[in-house]
Amino acid sequence: SQKIEQNSEALNIQEGKTATLTCNYTNYSPAYLQWYRQDPGRGPVFLLLIRENEKEKRKERLKVTFDTTLKQSLFHITASQPADSATYLCALNTGGFKTIFGAGTRLFVKA
Amino acid sequence: EPEVTQTPSHQVTQMGQEVILRCVPISNHLYFYWYRQILGQKVEFLVSFYNNEISEKSEIFDDQFSVERPDGSNFTLKIRSTKLEDSAMYFCASRGLERFRGTNEKLFFGSGTQLSVL
């Protein structure tokens, strides 16, 4: 079955730096991949979606890449701020109606 | 922005009791989901619901679980006889059929119901 691995449980960076989070998946490449943000005690909030035929997608300070050869997506936050501190989840659709989530990477941005 | 609403925010129950978790999805959405998240663990898929029937379910979603859309607005998750290991945050999510800002795959989540089974 499809599995998602996110590279690290936690990532600490200094304010102003670029945070890079990794998402790897096994098995087949999904038609699209999504990134969500989750704050403690809250539901995930959608950030970006990238399709298999897209190499890169941007939204303000966020950038996502998708490499179907490596079976990997990278999520970048440029000019990071303490308010970006949260858990970031990679998600993909397994076909049909089911979307599964990775365990997430907790990002801490220090002022 | 439209929201998914979940009630109650916290539910405490005794082992073996039945609980019903309630959700009001976004009004023009057609796909509905329940996920759960045990403390410190990942968000796990439980079930998806479309066109008044379950479209997909996980191994977690056994006979103790059921879902219903009793009217045009509510979507409920029932756990018939709760166990200690059912303690978790339960999230409802919905998704639109029509394109929304260029995508219809985006899941909207509620704030969750924290279920504690004692």
Side-chain angles (χ1 to χ4, degrees), chain B residues 14-58:
Chain B
Q14 295 291 325
M15 192 169 57
Q17 295 295 303
E18 173 182 289
V19 293
I20 297 176
L21 309 184
R22 301 180 193 280
C23 169
V24 179
I26 293 170
S27 62
N28 60 353
H29 283 187
L30 297 177
Y31 300 90
F32 312 112
Y33 301 81
W34 283 102
Y35 286 83
R36 80 171 186 191
Q37 187 172 31
I38 294 169
L39 187 64
Q41 297 187 25
K42 68 179 181 181
V43 176
E44 296 178 288
F45 171 83
L46 291 179
V47 66
S48 58
F49 191 86
Y50 170 69
N51 201 25
N52 283 319
E53 59 183 21
I54 290 173
S55 44
E56 201 156 350
K57 60 184 181 179
S58 71

mmCIF file of all heavy atoms in Angstrom, chain B residues 14-58:
data_model
loop_
_atom_site.group_PDB
_atom_site.id
_atom_site.type_symbol
_atom_site.label_atom_id
_atom_site.label_comp_id
_atom_site.label_asym_id
_atom_site.label_seq_id
_atom_site.Cartn_x
_atom_site.Cartn_y
_atom_site.Cartn_z
ATOM 1 N N GLN B 14 -17.627 6.979 28.987
ATOM 2 C CA GLN B 14 -17.164 5.753 29.642
ATOM 3 C C GLN B 14 -17.011 4.659 28.597
ATOM 4 O O GLN B 14 -17.785 4.591 27.631
ATOM 5 C CB GLN B 14 -18.180 5.303 30.701
ATOM 6 C CG GLN B 14 -18.341 6.263 31.864
ATOM 7 C CD GLN B 14 -17.106 6.287 32.743
ATOM 8 O OE1 GLN B 14 -16.447 5.270 32.930
ATOM 9 N NE2 GLN B 14 -16.788 7.463 33.262
ATOM 10 N N MET B 15 -16.045 3.798 28.814
ATOM 11 C CA MET B 15 -15.819 2.658 27.934
ATOM 12 C C MET B 15 -17.111 1.868 27.777
ATOM 13 O O MET B 15 -17.834 1.638 28.754
ATOM 14 C CB MET B 15 -14.740 1.770 28.563
ATOM 15 C CG MET B 15 -14.190 0.706 27.668
ATOM 16 S SD MET B 15 -12.712 -0.054 28.389
ATOM 17 C CE MET B 15 -13.316 -0.620 29.955
ATOM 18 N N GLY B 16 -17.425 1.483 26.541
ATOM 19 C CA GLY B 16 -18.629 0.714 26.274
ATOM 20 C C GLY B 16 -19.830 1.562 25.905
ATOM 21 O O GLY B 16 -20.834 1.029 25.416
ATOM 22 N N GLN B 17 -19.728 2.858 26.125
ATOM 23 C CA GLN B 17 -20.835 3.745 25.770
ATOM 24 C C GLN B 17 -20.798 4.110 24.291
ATOM 25 O O GLN B 17 -19.747 4.056 23.643
ATOM 26 C CB GLN B 17 -20.787 5.033 26.605
ATOM 27 C CG GLN B 17 -21.004 4.808 28.089
ATOM 28 C CD GLN B 17 -22.390 4.286 28.381
ATOM 29 O OE1 GLN B 17 -23.391 4.901 28.020
ATOM 30 N NE2 GLN B 17 -22.473 3.134 29.026
ATOM 31 N N GLU B 18 -21.946 4.508 23.785
ATOM 32 C CA GLU B 18 -22.041 4.966 22.398
ATOM 33 C C GLU B 18 -21.810 6.476 22.351
ATOM 34 O O GLU B 18 -22.261 7.201 23.250
ATOM 35 C CB GLU B 18 -23.447 4.645 21.873
ATOM 36 C CG GLU B 18 -23.737 5.223 20.489
ATOM 37 C CD GLU B 18 -25.152 4.926 20.044
ATOM 38 O OE1 GLU B 18 -25.453 3.761 19.731
ATOM 39 O OE2 GLU B 18 -25.970 5.890 20.004
ATOM 40 N N VAL B 19 -21.115 6.936 21.333
ATOM 41 C CA VAL B 19 -20.957 8.376 21.135
ATOM 42 C C VAL B 19 -21.309 8.721 19.690
ATOM 43 O O VAL B 19 -21.130 7.905 18.781
ATOM 44 C CB VAL B 19 -19.525 8.886 21.431
ATOM 45 C CG1 VAL B 19 -19.197 8.755 22.899
ATOM 46 C CG2 VAL B 19 -18.502 8.197 20.574
ATOM 47 N N ILE B 20 -21.819 9.922 19.519
ATOM 48 C CA ILE B 20 -22.086 10.447 18.187
ATOM 49 C C ILE B 20 -21.364 11.778 18.051
ATOM 50 O O ILE B 20 -21.578 12.692 18.850
ATOM 51 C CB ILE B 20 -23.592 10.641 17.931
ATOM 52 C CG1 ILE B 20 -24.310 9.292 17.993
ATOM 53 C CG2 ILE B 20 -23.817 11.295 16.564
ATOM 54 C CD1 ILE B 20 -25.815 9.380 17.845
ATOM 55 N N LEU B 21 -20.508 11.843 17.060
ATOM 56 C CA LEU B 21 -19.791 13.076 16.771
ATOM 57 C C LEU B 21 -20.465 13.725 15.568
ATOM 58 O O LEU B 21 -20.781 13.054 14.580
ATOM 59 C CB LEU B 21 -18.314 12.780 16.461
ATOM 60 C CG LEU B 21 -17.582 11.907 17.483
ATOM 61 C CD1 LEU B 21 -16.113 11.774 17.095
ATOM 62 C CD2 LEU B 21 -17.730 12.431 18.887
ATOM 63 N N ARG B 22 -20.627 15.034 15.665
ATOM 64 C CA ARG B 22 -21.418 15.725 14.644
ATOM 65 C C ARG B 22 -20.582 16.711 13.848
ATOM 66 O O ARG B 22 -19.661 17.350 14.371
ATOM 67 C CB ARG B 22 -22.585 16.462 15.300
ATOM 68 C CG ARG B 22 -23.492 15.534 16.058
ATOM 69 C CD ARG B 22 -24.659 16.232 16.725
ATOM 70 N NE ARG B 22 -25.300 15.324 17.663
ATOM 71 C CZ ARG B 22 -26.156 14.368 17.316
ATOM 72 N NH1 ARG B 22 -26.496 14.206 16.060
ATOM 73 N NH2 ARG B 22 -26.692 13.582 18.234
ATOM 74 N N CYS B 23 -20.964 16.862 12.606
ATOM 75 C CA CYS B 23 -20.232 17.735 11.686
ATOM 76 C C CYS B 23 -21.242 18.402 10.759
ATOM 77 O O CYS B 23 -22.216 17.770 10.337
ATOM 78 C CB CYS B 23 -19.234 16.888 10.894
ATOM 79 S SG CYS B 23 -18.442 17.712 9.503
ATOM 80 N N VAL B 24 -20.993 19.671 10.468
ATOM 81 C CA VAL B 24 -21.737 20.348 9.415
ATOM 82 C C VAL B 24 -20.725 20.723 8.345
ATOM 83 O O VAL B 24 -19.922 21.640 8.531
ATOM 84 C CB VAL B 24 -22.467 21.605 9.927
ATOM 85 C CG1 VAL B 24 -23.205 22.284 8.771
ATOM 86 C CG2 VAL B 24 -23.437 21.246 11.031
ATOM 87 N N PRO B 25 -20.707 19.981 7.238
ATOM 88 C CA PRO B 25 -19.753 20.296 6.169
ATOM 89 C C PRO B 25 -20.119 21.608 5.471
ATOM 90 O O PRO B 25 -21.182 22.182 5.719
ATOM 91 C CB PRO B 25 -19.917 19.111 5.204
ATOM 92 C CG PRO B 25 -20.638 18.059 5.981
ATOM 93 C CD PRO B 25 -21.495 18.791 6.967
ATOM 94 N N ILE B 26 -19.256 22.047 4.605
ATOM 95 C CA ILE B 26 -19.530 23.247 3.824
ATOM 96 C C ILE B 26 -20.694 22.957 2.882
ATOM 97 O O ILE B 26 -20.754 21.882 2.269
ATOM 98 C CB ILE B 26 -18.259 23.686 3.074
ATOM 99 C CG1 ILE B 26 -17.231 24.148 4.115
ATOM 100 C CG2 ILE B 26 -18.555 24.781 2.058
ATOM 101 C CD1 ILE B 26 -15.856 24.395 3.569
ATOM 102 N N SER B 27 -21.589 23.924 2.762
ATOM 103 C CA SER B 27 -22.922 23.647 2.221
ATOM 104 C C SER B 27 -22.948 23.117 0.790
ATOM 105 O O SER B 27 -23.781 22.301 0.463
ATOM 106 C CB SER B 27 -23.803 24.894 2.311
ATOM 107 O OG SER B 27 -23.244 25.925 1.525
ATOM 108 N N ASN B 28 -22.064 23.513 -0.073
ATOM 109 C CA ASN B 28 -22.139 23.028 -1.447
ATOM 110 C C ASN B 28 -21.160 21.890 -1.725
ATOM 111 O O ASN B 28 -20.921 21.532 -2.876
ATOM 112 C CB ASN B 28 -21.927 24.183 -2.427
ATOM 113 C CG ASN B 28 -20.572 24.835 -2.249
ATOM 114 O OD1 ASN B 28 -19.841 24.505 -1.309
ATOM 115 N ND2 ASN B 28 -20.216 25.724 -3.135
ATOM 116 N N HIS B 29 -20.597 21.315 -0.673
ATOM 117 C CA HIS B 29 -19.670 20.202 -0.843
ATOM 118 C C HIS B 29 -20.417 18.876 -0.918
ATOM 119 O O HIS B 29 -21.517 18.726 -0.364
ATOM 120 C CB HIS B 29 -18.660 20.170 0.318
ATOM 121 C CG HIS B 29 -17.594 21.199 0.176
ATOM 122 N ND1 HIS B 29 -16.514 21.261 1.015
ATOM 123 C CD2 HIS B 29 -17.428 22.206 -0.714
ATOM 124 C CE1 HIS B 29 -15.732 22.268 0.657
ATOM 125 N NE2 HIS B 29 -16.281 22.851 -0.391
ATOM 126 N N LEU B 30 -19.784 17.921 -1.604
ATOM 127 C CA LEU B 30 -20.458 16.653 -1.843
ATOM 128 C C LEU B 30 -19.691 15.441 -1.312
ATOM 129 O O LEU B 30 -20.240 14.357 -1.232
ATOM 130 C CB LEU B 30 -20.685 16.465 -3.349
ATOM 131 C CG LEU B 30 -21.604 17.507 -4.002
ATOM 132 C CD1 LEU B 30 -21.686 17.262 -5.497
ATOM 133 C CD2 LEU B 30 -23.003 17.471 -3.387
ATOM 134 N N TYR B 31 -18.409 15.625 -0.976
ATOM 135 C CA TYR B 31 -17.605 14.531 -0.444
ATOM 136 C C TYR B 31 -17.338 14.815 1.025
ATOM 137 O O TYR B 31 -16.942 15.925 1.383
ATOM 138 C CB TYR B 31 -16.258 14.442 -1.165
ATOM 139 C CG TYR B 31 -16.331 14.203 -2.646
ATOM 140 C CD1 TYR B 31 -16.391 15.263 -3.537
ATOM 141 C CD2 TYR B 31 -16.316 12.914 -3.165
ATOM 142 C CE1 TYR B 31 -16.446 15.054 -4.900
ATOM 143 C CE2 TYR B 31 -16.361 12.694 -4.523
ATOM 144 C CZ TYR B 31 -16.425 13.760 -5.386
ATOM 145 O OH TYR B 31 -16.477 13.559 -6.736
ATOM 146 N N PHE B 32 -17.512 13.803 1.860
ATOM 147 C CA PHE B 32 -17.353 13.993 3.295
ATOM 148 C C PHE B 32 -16.443 12.915 3.865
ATOM 149 O O PHE B 32 -16.449 11.779 3.379
ATOM 150 C CB PHE B 32 -18.724 13.960 3.986
ATOM 151 C CG PHE B 32 -19.744 14.821 3.310
ATOM 152 C CD1 PHE B 32 -20.830 14.253 2.668
ATOM 153 C CD2 PHE B 32 -19.595 16.194 3.281
ATOM 154 C CE1 PHE B 32 -21.762 15.052 2.018
ATOM 155 C CE2 PHE B 32 -20.521 16.992 2.627
ATOM 156 C CZ PHE B 32 -21.602 16.421 1.993
ATOM 157 N N TYR B 33 -15.690 13.303 4.869
ATOM 158 C CA TYR B 33 -14.663 12.410 5.408
ATOM 159 C C TYR B 33 -14.636 12.495 6.928
ATOM 160 O O TYR B 33 -14.946 13.527 7.514
ATOM 161 C CB TYR B 33 -13.272 12.842 4.914
ATOM 162 C CG TYR B 33 -13.110 12.853 3.423
ATOM 163 C CD1 TYR B 33 -13.563 13.930 2.660
ATOM 164 C CD2 TYR B 33 -12.490 11.796 2.766
ATOM 165 C CE1 TYR B 33 -13.418 13.940 1.274
ATOM 166 C CE2 TYR B 33 -12.335 11.804 1.387
ATOM 167 C CZ TYR B 33 -12.806 12.877 0.653
ATOM 168 O OH TYR B 33 -12.656 12.875 -0.707
ATOM 169 N N TRP B 34 -14.194 11.388 7.542
ATOM 170 C CA TRP B 34 -13.781 11.397 8.935
ATOM 171 C C TRP B 34 -12.341 10.907 9.009
ATOM 172 O O TRP B 34 -11.985 9.900 8.369
ATOM 173 C CB TRP B 34 -14.674 10.510 9.801
ATOM 174 C CG TRP B 34 -15.996 11.140 10.119
ATOM 175 C CD1 TRP B 34 -17.196 10.865 9.532
ATOM 176 C CD2 TRP B 34 -16.265 12.142 11.104
ATOM 177 N NE1 TRP B 34 -18.193 11.642 10.079
ATOM 178 C CE2 TRP B 34 -17.652 12.436 11.047
ATOM 179 C CE3 TRP B 34 -15.483 12.820 12.052
ATOM 180 C CZ2 TRP B 34 -18.263 13.372 11.888
ATOM 181 C CZ3 TRP B 34 -16.084 13.755 12.876
ATOM 182 C CH2 TRP B 34 -17.462 14.024 12.793
ATOM 183 N N TYR B 35 -11.552 11.632 9.761
ATOM 184 C CA TYR B 35 -10.181 11.258 10.076
ATOM 185 C C TYR B 35 -10.048 11.259 11.597
ATOM 186 O O TYR B 35 -10.826 11.900 12.300
ATOM 187 C CB TYR B 35 -9.187 12.282 9.510
ATOM 188 C CG TYR B 35 -8.985 12.215 8.016
ATOM 189 C CD1 TYR B 35 -9.882 12.842 7.149
ATOM 190 C CD2 TYR B 35 -7.896 11.550 7.470
ATOM 191 C CE1 TYR B 35 -9.692 12.788 5.769
ATOM 192 C CE2 TYR B 35 -7.690 11.490 6.100
ATOM 193 C CZ TYR B 35 -8.600 12.113 5.261
ATOM 194 O OH TYR B 35 -8.408 12.055 3.905
ATOM 195 N N ARG B 36 -9.043 10.557 12.078
ATOM 196 C CA ARG B 36 -8.740 10.677 13.505
ATOM 197 C C ARG B 36 -7.233 10.869 13.690
ATOM 198 O O ARG B 36 -6.431 10.502 12.831
ATOM 199 C CB ARG B 36 -9.208 9.447 14.285
ATOM 200 C CG ARG B 36 -8.294 8.263 14.191
ATOM 201 C CD ARG B 36 -8.678 7.165 15.145
ATOM 202 N NE ARG B 36 -7.671 6.115 15.104
ATOM 203 C CZ ARG B 36 -7.816 4.931 15.663
ATOM 204 N NH1 ARG B 36 -8.927 4.632 16.313
ATOM 205 N NH2 ARG B 36 -6.856 4.034 15.601
ATOM 206 N N GLN B 37 -6.895 11.451 14.836
ATOM 207 C CA GLN B 37 -5.485 11.685 15.160
ATOM 208 C C GLN B 37 -5.288 11.390 16.635
ATOM 209 O O GLN B 37 -5.765 12.145 17.492
ATOM 210 C CB GLN B 37 -5.081 13.126 14.827
ATOM 211 C CG GLN B 37 -3.594 13.380 14.976
ATOM 212 C CD GLN B 37 -3.194 14.757 14.463
ATOM 213 O OE1 GLN B 37 -3.962 15.710 14.525
ATOM 214 N NE2 GLN B 37 -1.988 14.866 13.925
ATOM 215 N N ILE B 38 -4.609 10.279 16.898
ATOM 216 C CA ILE B 38 -4.225 9.968 18.273
ATOM 217 C C ILE B 38 -3.096 10.907 18.650
ATOM 218 O O ILE B 38 -2.252 11.255 17.805
ATOM 219 C CB ILE B 38 -3.801 8.495 18.376
ATOM 220 C CG1 ILE B 38 -5.018 7.600 18.109
ATOM 221 C CG2 ILE B 38 -3.205 8.190 19.738
ATOM 222 C CD1 ILE B 38 -4.693 6.139 17.928
ATOM 223 N N LEU B 39 -3.056 11.317 19.906
ATOM 224 C CA LEU B 39 -2.099 12.320 20.361
ATOM 225 C C LEU B 39 -0.678 11.972 19.948
ATOM 226 O O LEU B 39 -0.183 10.881 20.239
ATOM 227 C CB LEU B 39 -2.190 12.456 21.886
ATOM 228 C CG LEU B 39 -1.366 13.575 22.505
ATOM 229 C CD1 LEU B 39 -1.859 14.927 22.017
ATOM 230 C CD2 LEU B 39 -1.401 13.502 24.024
ATOM 231 N N GLY B 40 -0.039 12.893 19.245
ATOM 232 C CA GLY B 40 1.353 12.696 18.841
ATOM 233 C C GLY B 40 1.532 11.850 17.600
ATOM 234 O O GLY B 40 2.662 11.606 17.176
ATOM 235 N N GLN B 41 0.419 11.402 17.005
ATOM 236 C CA GLN B 41 0.524 10.547 15.827
ATOM 237 C C GLN B 41 -0.058 11.250 14.605
ATOM 238 O O GLN B 41 -0.481 12.396 14.666
ATOM 239 C CB GLN B 41 -0.184 9.222 16.091
ATOM 240 C CG GLN B 41 0.457 8.428 17.227
ATOM 241 C CD GLN B 41 -0.134 7.047 17.376
ATOM 242 O OE1 GLN B 41 -0.673 6.482 16.435
ATOM 243 N NE2 GLN B 41 -0.034 6.496 18.576
ATOM 244 N N LYS B 42 -0.049 10.541 13.490
ATOM 245 C CA LYS B 42 -0.468 11.186 12.247
ATOM 246 C C LYS B 42 -1.977 11.187 12.075
ATOM 247 O O LYS B 42 -2.710 10.479 12.766
ATOM 248 C CB LYS B 42 0.204 10.512 11.057
ATOM 249 C CG LYS B 42 -0.241 9.102 10.790
ATOM 250 C CD LYS B 42 0.485 8.575 9.560
ATOM 251 C CE LYS B 42 0.057 7.167 9.246
ATOM 252 N NZ LYS B 42 0.783 6.645 8.081
ATOM 253 N N VAL B 43 -2.430 12.007 11.158
ATOM 254 C CA VAL B 43 -3.847 12.070 10.799
ATOM 255 C C VAL B 43 -4.178 10.829 9.969
ATOM 256 O O VAL B 43 -3.576 10.594 8.919
ATOM 257 C CB VAL B 43 -4.124 13.349 9.977
ATOM 258 C CG1 VAL B 43 -5.560 13.384 9.503
ATOM 259 C CG2 VAL B 43 -3.800 14.592 10.810
ATOM 260 N N GLU B 44 -5.132 10.023 10.481
ATOM 261 C CA GLU B 44 -5.445 8.741 9.827
ATOM 262 C C GLU B 44 -6.828 8.780 9.190
ATOM 263 O O GLU B 44 -7.806 9.184 9.825
ATOM 264 C CB GLU B 44 -5.457 7.614 10.862
ATOM 265 C CG GLU B 44 -4.149 7.343 11.540
ATOM 266 C CD GLU B 44 -4.303 6.245 12.579
ATOM 267 O OE1 GLU B 44 -4.926 6.492 13.637
ATOM 268 O OE2 GLU B 44 -3.800 5.133 12.345
ATOM 269 N N PHE B 45 -6.902 8.305 7.986
ATOM 270 C CA PHE B 45 -8.168 8.215 7.264
ATOM 271 C C PHE B 45 -9.061 7.151 7.901
ATOM 272 O O PHE B 45 -8.615 6.045 8.209
ATOM 273 C CB PHE B 45 -7.878 7.853 5.806
ATOM 274 C CG PHE B 45 -9.089 7.517 4.981
ATOM 275 C CD1 PHE B 45 -9.842 8.526 4.406
ATOM 276 C CD2 PHE B 45 -9.468 6.199 4.787
ATOM 277 C CE1 PHE B 45 -10.943 8.223 3.628
ATOM 278 C CE2 PHE B 45 -10.576 5.885 4.011
ATOM 279 C CZ PHE B 45 -11.312 6.902 3.435
ATOM 280 N N LEU B 46 -10.323 7.499 8.100
ATOM 281 C CA LEU B 46 -11.300 6.516 8.579
ATOM 282 C C LEU B 46 -12.265 6.125 7.468
ATOM 283 O O LEU B 46 -12.419 4.944 7.143
ATOM 284 C CB LEU B 46 -12.117 7.085 9.744
ATOM 285 C CG LEU B 46 -11.391 7.300 11.061
ATOM 286 C CD1 LEU B 46 -12.344 7.898 12.096
ATOM 287 C CD2 LEU B 46 -10.824 5.996 11.586
ATOM 288 N N VAL B 47 -12.932 7.142 6.876
ATOM 289 C CA VAL B 47 -14.006 6.825 5.942
ATOM 290 C C VAL B 47 -14.274 8.015 5.038
ATOM 291 O O VAL B 47 -14.065 9.168 5.417
ATOM 292 C CB VAL B 47 -15.277 6.437 6.743
ATOM 293 C CG1 VAL B 47 -15.814 7.626 7.524
ATOM 294 C CG2 VAL B 47 -16.346 5.825 5.878
ATOM 295 N N SER B 48 -14.717 7.704 3.817
ATOM 296 C CA SER B 48 -15.207 8.750 2.922
ATOM 297 C C SER B 48 -16.653 8.422 2.548
ATOM 298 O O SER B 48 -17.060 7.259 2.541
ATOM 299 C CB SER B 48 -14.332 8.864 1.676
ATOM 300 O OG SER B 48 -14.298 7.633 0.981
ATOM 301 N N PHE B 49 -17.402 9.460 2.231
ATOM 302 C CA PHE B 49 -18.857 9.322 2.038
ATOM 303 C C PHE B 49 -19.255 10.209 0.887
ATOM 304 O O PHE B 49 -18.912 11.399 0.846
ATOM 305 C CB PHE B 49 -19.541 9.780 3.339
ATOM 306 C CG PHE B 49 -21.005 9.475 3.442
ATOM 307 C CD1 PHE B 49 -21.434 8.248 3.929
ATOM 308 C CD2 PHE B 49 -21.959 10.429 3.113
ATOM 309 C CE1 PHE B 49 -22.787 7.973 4.070
ATOM 310 C CE2 PHE B 49 -23.313 10.157 3.251
ATOM 311 C CZ PHE B 49 -23.727 8.922 3.741
ATOM 312 N N TYR B 50 -19.953 9.610 -0.076
ATOM 313 C CA TYR B 50 -20.374 10.370 -1.246
ATOM 314 C C TYR B 50 -21.681 9.807 -1.757
ATOM 315 O O TYR B 50 -21.863 8.587 -1.772
ATOM 316 C CB TYR B 50 -19.301 10.293 -2.339
ATOM 317 C CG TYR B 50 -19.735 10.856 -3.673
ATOM 318 C CD1 TYR B 50 -19.935 12.224 -3.826
ATOM 319 C CD2 TYR B 50 -19.956 10.018 -4.767
ATOM 320 C CE1 TYR B 50 -20.350 12.744 -5.042
ATOM 321 C CE2 TYR B 50 -20.366 10.535 -5.975
ATOM 322 C CZ TYR B 50 -20.564 11.907 -6.126
ATOM 323 O OH TYR B 50 -20.971 12.432 -7.325
ATOM 324 N N ASN B 51 -22.582 10.663 -2.141
ATOM 325 C CA ASN B 51 -23.847 10.231 -2.720
ATOM 326 C C ASN B 51 -24.602 9.311 -1.761
ATOM 327 O O ASN B 51 -25.146 8.275 -2.168
ATOM 328 C CB ASN B 51 -23.579 9.538 -4.063
ATOM 329 C CG ASN B 51 -24.802 9.515 -4.956
ATOM 330 O OD1 ASN B 51 -25.687 10.362 -4.830
ATOM 331 N ND2 ASN B 51 -24.869 8.540 -5.838
ATOM 332 N N ASN B 52 -24.567 9.692 -0.481
ATOM 333 C CA ASN B 52 -25.298 8.983 0.573
ATOM 334 C C ASN B 52 -24.834 7.565 0.838
ATOM 335 O O ASN B 52 -25.617 6.739 1.334
ATOM 336 C CB ASN B 52 -26.802 8.974 0.281
ATOM 337 C CG ASN B 52 -27.428 10.314 0.602
ATOM 338 O OD1 ASN B 52 -27.093 10.927 1.613
ATOM 339 N ND2 ASN B 52 -28.302 10.770 -0.252
ATOM 340 N N GLU B 53 -23.590 7.280 0.516
ATOM 341 C CA GLU B 53 -23.076 5.979 0.880
ATOM 342 C C GLU B 53 -21.567 6.064 1.114
ATOM 343 O O GLU B 53 -20.909 6.989 0.644
ATOM 344 C CB GLU B 53 -23.389 4.926 -0.176
ATOM 345 C CG GLU B 53 -22.832 5.219 -1.542
ATOM 346 C CD GLU B 53 -23.238 4.158 -2.556
ATOM 347 O OE1 GLU B 53 -24.228 3.440 -2.329
ATOM 348 O OE2 GLU B 53 -22.545 4.039 -3.578
ATOM 349 N N ILE B 54 -21.063 5.076 1.853
ATOM 350 C CA ILE B 54 -19.624 5.000 2.092
ATOM 351 C C ILE B 54 -18.938 4.653 0.772
ATOM 352 O O ILE B 54 -19.311 3.696 0.096
ATOM 353 C CB ILE B 54 -19.304 3.946 3.163
ATOM 354 C CG1 ILE B 54 -19.786 4.421 4.535
ATOM 355 C CG2 ILE B 54 -17.809 3.649 3.200
ATOM 356 C CD1 ILE B 54 -19.657 3.383 5.631
ATOM 357 N N SER B 55 -17.933 5.471 0.417
ATOM 358 C CA SER B 55 -17.209 5.202 -0.820
ATOM 359 C C SER B 55 -15.902 4.447 -0.559
ATOM 360 O O SER B 55 -15.446 3.678 -1.392
ATOM 361 C CB SER B 55 -16.931 6.495 -1.577
ATOM 362 O OG SER B 55 -16.485 7.503 -0.702
ATOM 363 N N GLU B 56 -15.326 4.679 0.604
ATOM 364 C CA GLU B 56 -14.113 3.971 0.965
ATOM 365 C C GLU B 56 -13.960 4.010 2.493
ATOM 366 O O GLU B 56 -14.389 4.975 3.130
ATOM 367 C CB GLU B 56 -12.897 4.646 0.309
ATOM 368 C CG GLU B 56 -11.701 3.765 0.186
ATOM 369 C CD GLU B 56 -10.750 4.190 -0.919
ATOM 370 O OE1 GLU B 56 -11.095 5.077 -1.728
ATOM 371 O OE2 GLU B 56 -9.652 3.617 -0.976
ATOM 372 N N LYS B 57 -13.370 2.968 3.058
ATOM 373 C CA LYS B 57 -13.121 2.973 4.496
ATOM 374 C C LYS B 57 -11.809 2.269 4.796
ATOM 375 O O LYS B 57 -11.331 1.458 4.004
ATOM 376 C CB LYS B 57 -14.270 2.316 5.263
ATOM 377 C CG LYS B 57 -14.511 0.874 4.893
ATOM 378 C CD LYS B 57 -15.721 0.348 5.637
ATOM 379 C CE LYS B 57 -15.956 -1.121 5.270
ATOM 380 N NZ LYS B 57 -17.107 -1.699 5.983
ATOM 381 N N SER B 58 -11.237 2.597 5.948
ATOM 382 C CA SER B 58 -9.963 1.999 6.330
ATOM 383 C C SER B 58 -10.219 0.790 7.228
ATOM 384 O O SER B 58 -11.353 0.530 7.644
ATOM 385 C CB SER B 58 -9.103 3.025 7.063
ATOM 386 O OG SER B 58 -9.631 3.283 8.346
#
